[in-house]
Amino acid sequence: MLGGMLVAIDGPVGAGKSTVARAVAARLGFTYLDTGAMYRCVALAQIQDEASDLKRTTEDLRIDFEGDRVLLGSADATEAIRTPEVSQRASVVATDPEVREQLVDRQRGLTQRGDWVAEGRDIGTVVRPDAELKVFLTASDEERAGRRAAQTGRSIAEELADLRERDERDRTREASPLVRADDAVELDTTGLPFDEVVERIARMAEDVRAGTPAAEAAPQQAENT
Ligand code: DC
């Protein structure tokens, strides 16, 4: 295949997209793009200046990725964008069509050249419907809440309530709701070891690059849907 390749990984909160996408990118030697971090940056900027106009804030925002760090203007926002408050606000600003349009434009620009693993909610449906491989990552609500609780130190019940609220908002919003692309391979990671999830996606990407369609490259899909 000439030119770049894009692996799109979409799915709900806590399905493991970030860690999986990062590991798949490392394994394939692709660049990783965390599009959720961009919505989180807009949310953080809005929290820091509540009186500001959301559209202007988004337009003026400088978001850069340096390795694992996320830079907002000249400040390192890597940790600040991960608080529960920013998580909730990000799912609210993500319902705004103007915010989405601006961030989607940036995401398209970024992924135009080179090899990428991009992760979010609408990569395979809106940002890059032309992605060479689309994976829709899911897991049971309880497993997702358990994984998040292990990361945040909050209770599973709190995480469950939080992710259901965010899921509902992500799925029901008018602008680019979270849906699985028709041509995405659905991978239910409930009970699957992390390494195996990474391995399956990396192999699918290698097969696609070699010219085998993703659906054929992933016969195990049937048992996971
Ligand atoms: O993946 P995340 O939790 O970091 O995403 C933060 C919020 O941004 C989440 O509520 C959904 C939203 N989002 C989105 O609407 N589209 C994307 N491509 C990525 C994230």
Side-chain angles (χ1 to χ4, degrees):
M1 184 184 299
L2 291 174
M5 174 170 176
L6 177 73
V7 177
I9 301 184
D10 291 305
V13 179
K17 296 185 303 292
S18 301
T19 35
V20 167
R22 210 183 280 276
V24 170
R27 153 86 202 266
L28 295 169
F30 288 16
T31 310
Y32 164 64
L33 178 64
D34 175 0
T35 62
M38 299 171 81
Y39 290 91
R40 287 170 179 275
C41 283
V42 173
L44 179 62
Q46 185 76 9
I47 290 169
Q48 287 170 343
D49 184 4
E50 292 285 0
S52 66
D53 176 71
L54 184 58
K55 184 175 176 224
R56 287 289 304 277
T57 301
T58 313
E59 263 166 15
D60 295 344
L61 217 55
R62 240 193 63 211
I63 304 169
D64 291 302
F65 295 97
E66 271 186 21
D68 286 350
R69 313 306 294 174
V70 182
L71 304 181
L72 181 52
S74 53
D76 187 328
T78 314
E79 277 84 36
I81 59 168
R82 299 289 159 196
T83 65
E85 184 191 8
V86 172
S87 298
Q88 280 294 344
R89 184 65 76 92
S91 79
V92 176
V93 301
T95 63
D96 187 300
E98 288 181 333
V99 170
R100 301 203 69 83
E101 199 181 317
Q102 287 191 43
L103 296 187
V104 165
D105 269 358
R106 294 191 197 193
Q107 292 154 14
R108 282 191 188 132
L110 274 170
T111 56
Q112 223 39 251
R113 282 194 202 158
D115 296 319
W116 292 83
V117 178
E119 165 252 308
R121 303 292 189 290
D122 59 345
I123 311 299
T125 50
V126 177
V127 178
R128 291 285 309 273
D130 61 335
E132 282 78 12
L133 174 63
K134 302 179 188 180
V135 177
F136 195 78
L137 217 56
T138 62
S140 70
D141 287 2
E142 290 69 23
E143 174 130 349
R144 295 190 291 131
R147 288 179 191 166
R148 289 206 56 89
Q151 285 170 357
T152 62
R154 297 202 301 168
S155 73
I156 293 182
E158 254 179 313
E159 290 297 348
L160 196 56
D162 193 86
L163 70 80
R164 282 186 173 149
E165 188 183 336
R166 290 171 60 202
D167 272 355
E168 176 70 12
R169 213 180 281 128
D170 290 345
R171 287 184 203 279
T172 57
R173 68 175 176 232
E174 266 180 46
S176 317
L178 170 67
V179 286
R180 175 190 151 178
D182 289 340
D183 52 351
V185 174
E186 183 162 339
L187 193 54
D188 184 341
T189 67
T190 311
L192 274 186
F194 172 77
D195 288 350
E196 185 166 343
V197 176
V198 173
E199 190 56 32
R200 284 195 195 182
I201 298 174
R203 261 202 236 129
M204 281 191 264
E206 285 163 355
D207 287 342
V208 169
R209 184 153 251 181
T212 319
E216 281 172 36
Q220 71 274 17
Q221 178 195 359
E223 77 204 33
N224 289 309
T225 49

